[in-house]
Amino acid sequence: MSSNRHLLVTSAARKIPLLRAAISAARKLSPDMQVQAGDLDPDAPAQYVADGFWVMPRTDDTALDALIAGCRERGIGVVLPTRDGELLFWARHKARFAREGIAILVSPEESVRRCLDKLAFARFGQSGGLPFIPAFEGLEDAGPAPYAVKERFGAGSRAIGLNLDAASAQEHAKGLTAPIFQPFIEGTEISVDAWIDRNHKVKGLVLRRRDRVVDGESQVTTTFRDAAIEDAARTALEALQLCGPVVMQILIDRASQPHIIECNSRFGGASTAGIAAGLDSLYWSLAEAAGKDVAALPFARISGEVRQVRLPADTHFILPA
């Protein structure tokens, strides 16, 4: 990590559980390692939880030098991007930051780009004989109804149409920027939290049911085990050539067969449940960046299961009189 020793969590916004998990991981690696929260919004609630706060420039190429300078001024040695829209920027400039002694916890650019493009993602899986749900630009190629219709790029739950007949699918597509069509598969959606080393080998993963979902994020989620699903997820994740913390979405049909929907090449909104189950993903990322032998660190999955319930909570600060 060079002489830089602190962690920057970007797009921190109100990701308080993630920040607290990052602080715990940082202190485990080094007691004096601080966690800085970064965001465009000067009023981001993350500033009240992190060790420090940076109102960052927007992550585009024109701000590259300013971002590097800002990291160096703050002693940042590791950057954890947390928003889909910034992943390509950090992946594209990962080598440049590395020359400055700053490790970016992000997958290779090609892998990130594939995961952000749902059509490319589906085609990649199908070409590799993996259980990815196929996707098409034209409805006529998607087989018989019913259909799922969604945006090719962007958040998976936004503007999605499910269980549609042909006419409804065509009508729904008119309201999208770049629609794709998929066969609609009825089943239960689960998440897979995983950590993958820099050689694209899965160190560990945890399956969890999405018991209650609000705005695409699990408010209630419960871990479970299934060897066949774990094997399928591991094979797909390694094929995608990812690294670091990721979260994959899989649909399990009535015959208990997995159908892979998408993969976010970042720490997930409810991935703290995976940490509670023993998947020490943020610590492993920091340890790998620090040059430690992560293969020697155990994946000590707990013997039971975790139910994570996300509830609002008040935090109080006593101000001087």
Side-chain angles (χ1 to χ4, degrees):
M1 267 189 295
S2 184
S3 59
N4 303 324
R5 65 183 183 278
H6 301 312
L7 169 66
L8 171 67
V9 177
T10 68
S11 298
R14 50 184 299 150
K15 298 168 183 166
I16 308 306
L18 165 56
L19 274 169
R20 287 178 172 153
I23 290 169
S24 176
R27 302 289 196 270
K28 185 176 177 179
L29 182 70
S30 172
D32 65 349
M33 188 176 194
Q34 295 185 352
V35 175
Q36 304 279 321
D39 203 274
L40 292 173
D41 179 7
D43 298 319
Q47 66 189 284
Y48 299 108
V49 174
D51 298 312
F53 182 60
W54 178 15
V55 182
M56 294 176 63
R58 192 174 299 276
T59 48
D60 60 40
D61 291 349
T62 61
L64 178 59
D65 290 338
L67 286 163
I68 290 172
C71 285
R72 295 183 67 178
E73 288 167 13
R74 292 165 176 81
I76 301 299
V78 187
V79 177
L80 176 66
T82 71
R83 182 177 59 86
D84 286 342
E86 65 179 341
L87 295 179
L88 273 177
F89 169 86
W90 293 108
R92 189 165 59 249
H93 297 295
K94 188 173 182 176
R96 171 72 188 280
F97 279 92
R99 291 195 293 272
E100 302 290 340
I102 302 166
I104 310 298
L105 304 181
V106 70
S107 294
E109 182 181 358
E110 182 181 357
S111 302
V112 171
R113 194 177 298 279
R114 183 186 297 123
C115 287
L116 291 172
D117 182 341
K118 296 180 183 63
L119 183 62
F121 181 83
R123 287 174 172 170
F124 174 85
Q126 290 285 297
S127 67
L130 299 167
F132 286 33
I133 300 177
F136 307 93
E137 291 180 281
L139 179 63
E140 63 279 2
D141 298 317
Y147 305 102
V149 184
K150 62 183 72 168
E151 286 282 12
R152 178 175 174 178
F153 305 97
S157 61
R158 187 177 60 198
I160 187 170
L162 297 174
N163 200 14
L164 304 177
D165 61 26
S168 300
Q170 292 282 26
E171 187 61 30
H172 187 84
K174 292 178 182 177
L176 303 184
T177 304
I180 59 169
F181 301 90
Q182 296 181 292
F184 173 74
I185 299 170
E186 194 158 1
T188 301
E189 185 176 341
I190 68 165
S191 293
V192 183
D193 294 316
W195 190 83
I196 308 164
D197 68 21
R198 57 170 51 119
N199 296 315
H200 314 301
K201 295 299 180 184
V202 173
K203 179 174 179 66
L205 55 83
V206 172
L207 311 180
R208 55 183 171 85
R209 298 183 180 89
R210 294 155 57 86
D211 305 313
R212 176 178 169 83
V213 179
V214 177
D215 295 330
E217 185 174 291
S218 298
Q219 278 194 350
V220 182
T221 187
T222 307
T223 66
F224 71 102
R225 295 179 224 209
D226 184 303
I229 297 172
E230 290 171 2
D231 287 346
R234 184 178 292 104
T235 298
L237 288 166
E238 293 184 351
L240 286 163
Q241 296 281 283
L242 299 166
C243 60
V246 304
V247 58
M248 175 175 275
Q249 309 299 335
I250 302 180
L251 196 68
I252 309 300
D253 67 20
R254 291 174 177 175
S256 299
Q257 294 302 303
H259 303 266
I260 296 171
I261 303 170
E262 64 183 6
C263 184
N264 297 317
S265 50
R266 55 168 172 75
F267 194 83
S271 292
T272 43
I275 293 178
L279 189 82
D280 210 356
S281 55
L282 296 181
Y283 173 67
W284 293 337
S285 290
L286 296 179
E288 186 178 59
K292 293 186 178 296
D293 179 11
V294 182
L297 300 175
F299 170 33
R301 196 198 190 288
I302 64 169
S303 58
E305 302 301 338
V306 172
R307 173 163 293 157
Q308 176 173 288
V309 182
R310 182 153 292 176
L311 301 171
D314 296 328
T315 302
H316 301 101
F317 301 90
I318 306 303
L319 304 178

